[in-house]
Amino acid sequence: MKEVINVEIKSVNRKTLSKQVLDEIIDLLLSGQLKSGDRLPSELELMEMFDVSRSVIREALTSLESMGIVNRKTRNGTFFSEKIGSKPFSMMLALSAGNLPSIIETRLSLELGFVTLAAEKITDKELDQLKQTIDAMSSATSDYTEIDKEFHKIIAHSASNPLLEGVITPLLNLYDRTLEQIPNRHRDSKATIQQHIDIYEALKKRDPIQSSTAMYRHLDYVRKKVLMNLNDM
């Protein structure tokens, strides 16, 4: 068990106490006084530091836990998470669920970053996995949405960036919602599969510029199909 580190915490006034406590606890990370994986002071110690009640401390810790920032262990105490979770980004996306154009643009901007990094880091094994998904899409006799999603998931994970890991799952969870906005009459599986082949070939060359260009063409194609359907509604 890690020892509790002495930290400096600002006093808070009694307006929106739990929110201020939450902000001050997060600031322990931002200021470098504590780091991921470190144990927070006990509830009693936090009560004394902030001069607030136990209910305020628990409310702040519950909010932090719901965002995936801390993990509360019954006997061992509360710890800052060691790995960035997807919950904060999921909450942001949930609040924007009705703004589909913005969601599409968010996906486009993030996946362009993923594929650029993937071009530098992707392994031969991950390239083989990409090829297998393309082959599966080509031979599919019905909907291949899950296979398509796996293709993008492999690229995202091959970027091997822990700061980006927290956005991958919620981003891909929106993938189905995006495709639902494209009626069958607007879909062209042949064009879609070719776009995936182009992305794969660029990644195989380890060319970040060509990879980014191929991904942009694919996602822009999807974006236009979705917006075309929204305009027809």
Side-chain angles (χ1 to χ4, degrees):
M1 184 184 300
K2 296 183 179 180
E3 295 182 1
V4 176
I5 302 172
N6 290 328
V7 295
E8 297 179 6
I9 296 179
K10 303 171 186 176
S11 61
V12 297
N13 75 39
R14 296 191 176 275
K15 294 181 180 179
T16 61
L17 284 178
S18 65
K19 173 63 168 60
Q20 292 185 63
V21 170
L22 182 153
D23 289 341
E24 288 298 329
I25 291 176
I26 291 177
D27 192 57
L28 295 176
L29 283 177
L30 298 177
S31 65
Q33 296 184 67
L34 293 178
K35 59 184 183 298
S36 61
D38 280 346
R39 181 185 175 190
L40 274 70
S42 68
E43 287 187 1
L44 182 59
E45 290 170 323
L46 289 173
M47 288 167 57
E48 293 175 351
M49 291 175 182
F50 291 112
D51 189 23
V52 295
S53 66
R54 186 182 294 271
S55 63
V56 170
I57 295 298
R58 287 184 172 176
E59 183 178 347
L61 292 177
T62 297
S63 296
L64 288 167
E65 187 175 32
S66 71
M67 292 186 286
I69 295 174
V70 302
N71 295 313
R72 300 167 78 180
K73 303 176 182 179
T74 305
R75 295 185 178 180
N76 296 327
T78 302
F79 296 79
F80 281 118
S81 300
E82 297 198 39
K83 186 176 181 181
I84 297 170
S86 63
K87 291 182 180 179
F89 192 66
S90 296
M91 294 165 67
M92 289 170 55
L93 291 176
L95 291 172
S96 303
N99 190 344
L100 196 55
S102 292
I103 291 174
I104 296 170
E105 289 176 358
T106 299
R107 181 187 166 198
L108 191 154
S109 61
L110 289 173
E111 288 213 56
L112 289 180
F114 289 147
V115 79
T116 301
L117 290 172
E120 300 175 353
K121 301 180 180 182
I122 196 166
T123 65
D124 290 339
K125 180 180 179 180
E126 288 164 336
L127 284 169
D128 288 341
Q129 292 172 341
L130 287 181
K131 182 63 166 58
Q132 290 171 20
T133 63
I134 293 173
D135 292 342
M137 280 190 282
S138 299
S139 60
T141 56
S142 57
D143 181 52
Y144 54 72
T145 297
E146 289 302 315
I147 306 171
D148 195 348
K149 186 191 296 186
E150 181 64 20
F151 178 90
H152 290 270
K153 184 176 180 180
I154 293 167
I155 291 174
H157 282 291
S158 70
S160 302
N161 186 311
L163 290 178
L164 294 174
E165 295 244 345
V167 306
I168 293 173
T169 299
L171 180 67
L172 293 177
N173 286 342
L174 282 174
Y175 189 80
D176 292 342
R177 175 170 168 76
T178 301
L179 290 185
E180 288 172 0
Q181 302 302 315
I182 307 178
N184 289 332
R185 70 180 185 278
H186 287 164
R187 298 191 182 191
D188 185 341
S189 60
K190 184 176 180 180
T192 300
I193 292 171
Q194 183 58 53
Q195 289 162 8
H196 285 76
I197 292 173
D198 292 342
I199 295 169
Y200 164 76
E201 292 294 343
L203 288 171
K204 190 175 180 180
K205 294 177 183 177
R206 305 296 202 280
D207 187 330
I209 296 176
Q210 186 176 338
S211 298
S212 179
T213 300
M215 180 64 80
Y216 176 81
R217 287 173 178 162
H218 169 55
L219 294 180
D220 185 53
Y221 171 84
V222 174
R223 174 173 60 173
K224 288 175 179 175
K225 293 289 185 181
V226 172
L227 295 180
M228 181 188 303
N229 185 56
L230 289 177
N231 291 334
D232 289 345
M233 293 175 66

